[in-house]
């Protein structure tokens, strides 16, 4: 017989890991279990690029804003691994992404007893148990079913693949969330390797931090290849790092945003956008600009950034990917050819627009059990519980997917993750007496 957990967490990335820690540290004795599709603990492993750093202040980790004395802090990870002093001496403003990924893996390792790895959740349904209570039944890629009185979906956001790339199914065109495994696959196919097997041309689409990191990584990895970055806006932009704008990542701002009307939320989003999206940190922009300048000085430019460019057409043929590109200000058409194309095109937020998703993929089968506001947004409470239509619908929380209701601090980042975990943990306790 399937055991019915109090809480089932789907995904065990930083968001649900922070929740597991909060539940342990805040002394909740709920029966909690997590299902994670990856084979083991990891963080953004497909983008573990040499030299890349993290974007959050390292103290905004899995726990410290909630409990600065927690043993699961980044500082304690460094301490327990004998690297604290050495780390503090590294001449970098932010830690290496590799170091932070090891921190997440180290913290997750303490909770292995609560997690089934290598298990992808494929469906969620509402059922009735033997006592007549409504519960969730979750089906998985391994053919098993799990039951729970409450669900916490912490699956991270779905990649956004815009037109015309959404119609292409080829290993030569892929989103950044598959970057390193996709390069491995291309090497096996003989499309991208080292030396003689180097690709001739590669295209990156997008103007984000990841787009710039990818451009630099591709230029280092394949020094013979032409690397072109196509950006829809005028050119690459620097992030808004004003400390005043950064207050958008304070918990008070989350409450403030939550209470604003949809129209005001849209205005706030426009202002806050450049703190996180379609922009990159100054260090990588400077590195890229210097690289291009030096290549031009040597009369051997290999890396190009082309702004105001929109890809209108794509064809994947035997010899590579052919792109039909419009220069948005002149209306001129260009032809680009690449051995492969990397999409740094962002992620889907919740909402009714074409680039958003109405509900997270796993909620599609049960969406009719929940409320939407008059603008078509899924109604989520301040405690991240999705608002049910009926009183007997079991509790369902979203952990890390609520930027459209809670603002930029919920843009899937580390910034407020530990405090959000506390809110969800307390609400679960109330909902599951
Ligand atoms: C390249 C890159 C770098 C980033 N760097 C930073 C940074 O430096 N600082 C920062 O604050 N933010 C950064 N981010 C944002 C990132 O979203 C957060 O750091 C963090 O990963 C969010 O945690 P999460 O748990 O919400 O989502 P995720 O990290 O995406 O974790 C979700 C987990 O759910 C699992 N999952 C998904 N679907 C299923 C399913 N159906 N069944 C079972 N398991 C499933 C996934 O395998 C994954 O492990 C970065 C994002 C990217 C893409």
């Amino acid at each position: 017989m399937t055991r019915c957990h109090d809480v089932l967490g789907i995904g065990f990335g930083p968001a649900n890991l922070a929740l597991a820690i909060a539940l342990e540290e805040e002394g909740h004795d709920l029966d909690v279990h997590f299902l994670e599709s990856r084979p083991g603990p990891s963080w953004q492993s497909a983008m573990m690029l040499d030299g890349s750093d993290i974007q959050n202040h390292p103290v905004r980790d899995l726990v410290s804003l909630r409990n600065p004395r927690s043993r699961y802090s980044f500082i304690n990870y460094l301490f327990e691994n004998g690297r604290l002093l050495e780390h503090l001496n590294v001449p970098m403003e932010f830690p290496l992404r590799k170091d932070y990924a090891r921190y997440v893996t180290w913290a997750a390792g303490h909770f292995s007893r609560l997690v089934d790895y290598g298990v992808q959740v494929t469906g969620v349904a509402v059922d009735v148990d033997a006592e007549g209570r409504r519960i969730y039944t979750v089906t998985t890629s391994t053919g098993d079913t799990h039951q729970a009185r409450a669900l916490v979906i912490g699956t991270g956001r779905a990649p956004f693949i815009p037109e015309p790339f959404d119609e292409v199914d080829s290993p030569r065109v892929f989103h950044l969330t598959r970057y390193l495994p996709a390069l491995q696959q291309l090497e096996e196919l003989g499309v991208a390797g080292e030396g003689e097997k180097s690709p001739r041309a590669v295209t990156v689409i997008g103007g984000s931090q990841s787009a710039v990191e990818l451009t630099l990584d591709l230029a280092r990895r394949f020094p013979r290849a032409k690397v072109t970055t196509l950006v829809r806006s005028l050119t690459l932009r620097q992030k808004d790092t004003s400390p005043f704008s950064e207050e958008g990542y304070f918990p008070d701002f989350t409450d403030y945003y939550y209470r604003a009307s949809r129209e005001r939320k849209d205005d706030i989003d426009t202002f806050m956008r450049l703190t996180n999206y379609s922009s990159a940190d100054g260090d990588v922009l400077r590195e890229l600009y210097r690289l291009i300048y030096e290549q031009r000085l040597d009369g051997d430019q290999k890396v190009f950034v082309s702004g105001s460019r929109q890809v209108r057409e794509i064809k994947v043929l035997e010899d590579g990917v052919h792109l039909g590109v419009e220069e948005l200000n002149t209306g001129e058409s260009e032809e680009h050819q690449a051995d492969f194309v990397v999409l740094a095109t962002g992620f889907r937020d919740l909402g009714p627009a074409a680039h958003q998703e109405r509900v997270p993929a796993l909620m599609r089968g049960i969406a009719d059990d929940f409320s939407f506001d008059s603008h078509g947004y899924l109604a989520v409470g301040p405690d991240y519980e999705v608002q049910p239509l009926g009183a007997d619908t079991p509790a369902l929380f979203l952990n890390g997917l609520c930027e459209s209701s809670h603002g930029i601090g919920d843009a899937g980042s580390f910034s407020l993750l530990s405090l959000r975990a506390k809110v969800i943990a307390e609400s679960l306790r109330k909902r599951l007496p």
Side-chain angles (χ1 to χ4, degrees):
M1 201 176 82
T2 308
R3 174 162 132 217
C4 184
H5 299 283
D6 289 329
V7 182
L8 201 56
I10 307 180
F12 202 60
N16 270 350
L17 168 56
L19 176 64
I21 301 174
L23 286 166
E24 179 188 276
E25 291 188 341
E26 309 272 327
H28 299 310
D29 56 352
L30 296 168
D31 162 19
V32 187
H33 200 72
F34 296 89
L35 303 172
E36 166 57 54
S37 54
R38 292 174 198 244
S42 63
W43 175 58
Q44 304 299 351
S45 53
M47 281 288 284
M48 224 28 77
L49 311 181
D50 286 345
S52 61
D53 61 6
I54 62 164
Q55 256 68 85
N56 54 299
H57 191 292
V59 174
R60 286 176 170 246
D61 57 16
L62 295 164
V63 291
S64 295
L65 296 187
R66 177 183 58 78
N67 174 17
R69 295 182 191 86
S70 169
R71 63 172 295 213
Y72 301 108
S73 68
F74 180 61
I75 297 294
N76 191 45
Y77 146 79
L78 292 169
F79 178 75
E80 286 199 9
N81 287 279
R83 284 210 316 284
L84 180 55
L85 259 181
E86 202 187 344
H87 177 84
L88 294 177
N89 203 36
V90 179
M92 287 180 80
E93 195 180 349
F94 292 103
L96 287 168
R97 185 176 297 155
K98 282 178 191 169
D99 219 358
Y100 224 65
R102 283 184 193 211
Y103 156 58
V104 175
T105 302
W106 168 85
H110 292 86
F111 292 85
S112 317
R113 67 190 184 286
L114 300 182
V115 190
D116 291 350
Y117 286 103
V119 176
Q120 166 117 20
V121 173
T122 49
V124 172
V126 179
D127 266 337
V128 179
D129 71 4
E131 289 151 40
R133 288 178 311 184
R134 295 187 87 204
I135 54 162
Y136 287 108
T137 298
V138 159
T139 46
T140 71
S141 53
T142 49
D144 297 322
T145 56
H146 297 255
Q147 293 189 324
R149 295 165 65 203
L151 279 191
V152 183
I153 299 185
T155 47
R157 290 186 292 182
F160 175 56
I161 315 280
E163 286 181 339
F165 303 103
D166 57 344
E167 285 169 11
V168 178
D169 181 12
S170 162
R172 289 178 183 268
V173 181
F174 51 87
H175 190 264
L176 65 94
T177 43
R178 290 186 43 237
Y179 180 60
L180 292 176
L183 286 191
Q184 176 74 40
Q185 188 184 2
L186 289 176
E187 188 170 355
E188 285 158 19
L189 294 172
V191 173
E194 288 178 9
E196 292 303 313
K197 293 187 177 151
S198 167
R200 289 152 298 159
V202 183
T203 301
V204 176
I205 308 289
S208 60
Q209 171 76 17
S210 294
V212 179
E213 287 179 4
L214 287 163
T215 308
L216 287 166
D217 188 72
L218 288 161
R220 269 194 297 266
R221 211 176 270 274
F222 306 117
R224 296 170 178 209
K226 177 180 176 188
V227 180
T228 306
T229 302
L230 299 178
V231 194
R232 205 171 35 188
S233 55
L234 197 60
T235 188
L236 295 174
R237 296 186 76 177
Q238 192 157 329
K239 271 189 191 161
D240 173 0
T241 54
S242 155
F244 294 94
S245 308
E246 292 288 321
E247 289 196 356
Y249 297 84
F250 281 13
D252 287 354
F253 186 86
T254 303
D255 296 341
Y256 175 72
Y257 182 93
Y258 185 82
R259 283 183 276 111
S261 67
R262 189 79 252 161
E263 292 73 20
R264 295 309 307 156
K265 280 186 167 80
D266 290 346
D267 265 23
I268 298 172
D269 291 345
T270 306
F271 182 88
M272 295 303 292
R273 204 176 157 66
L274 284 181
T275 64
N276 197 49
Y277 298 111
S278 307
S279 56
D281 285 338
D283 59 347
V284 286
L285 287 176
R286 286 191 291 275
E287 189 180 341
L288 181 59
Y289 200 88
R290 251 195 330 261
L291 173 73
I292 294 172
Y293 180 82
E294 191 172 354
Q295 290 183 346
R296 287 164 71 100
L297 195 66
D298 293 341
D300 187 22
Q301 185 173 359
K302 291 267 181 359
V303 178
F304 297 81
V305 174
S306 297
S308 306
R309 298 302 200 284
Q310 174 97 37
V311 177
R312 296 290 183 201
E313 277 188 340
I314 179 166
K315 280 191 210 128
V316 182
L317 304 176
E318 280 280 292
D319 60 344
V321 186
H322 295 248
L323 300 174
V325 177
E326 181 187 343
E327 211 288 1
L328 291 171
N329 300 319
T330 63
E332 282 166 15
S333 301
E334 299 168 353
E335 294 280 322
H336 288 246
Q337 195 177 336
D339 294 297
F340 62 92
V341 176
V342 191
L343 304 175
T345 44
F347 294 85
R348 295 176 94 99
D349 197 11
L350 293 185
H355 64 279
Q356 298 175 313
E357 40 180 17
R358 191 169 164 262
V359 293
L362 286 176
M363 277 187 68
R364 279 184 203 142
I366 53 170
D368 290 346
D369 287 323
F370 295 92
S371 315
F372 291 80
D373 71 15
S374 57
H375 298 270
Y377 286 82
L378 187 61
V380 183
D383 62 350
Y384 304 93
E385 183 181 351
V386 187
Q387 303 299 283
L389 282 174
D392 60 345
T393 302
L396 188 153
F397 291 80
L398 299 181
N399 192 1
L401 300 168
C402 295
E403 185 179 353
S404 55
S405 51
H406 290 63
I408 195 78
D410 263 86
S413 70
F414 272 87
S415 306
L416 292 175
L417 176 138
S418 60
L419 295 176
R420 187 174 67 227
K422 181 181 167 78
V423 172
I424 296 177
E426 281 173 358
S427 246
L428 280 169
R429 200 73 201 93
K430 282 188 207 132
R431 292 286 269 114
L432 302 172

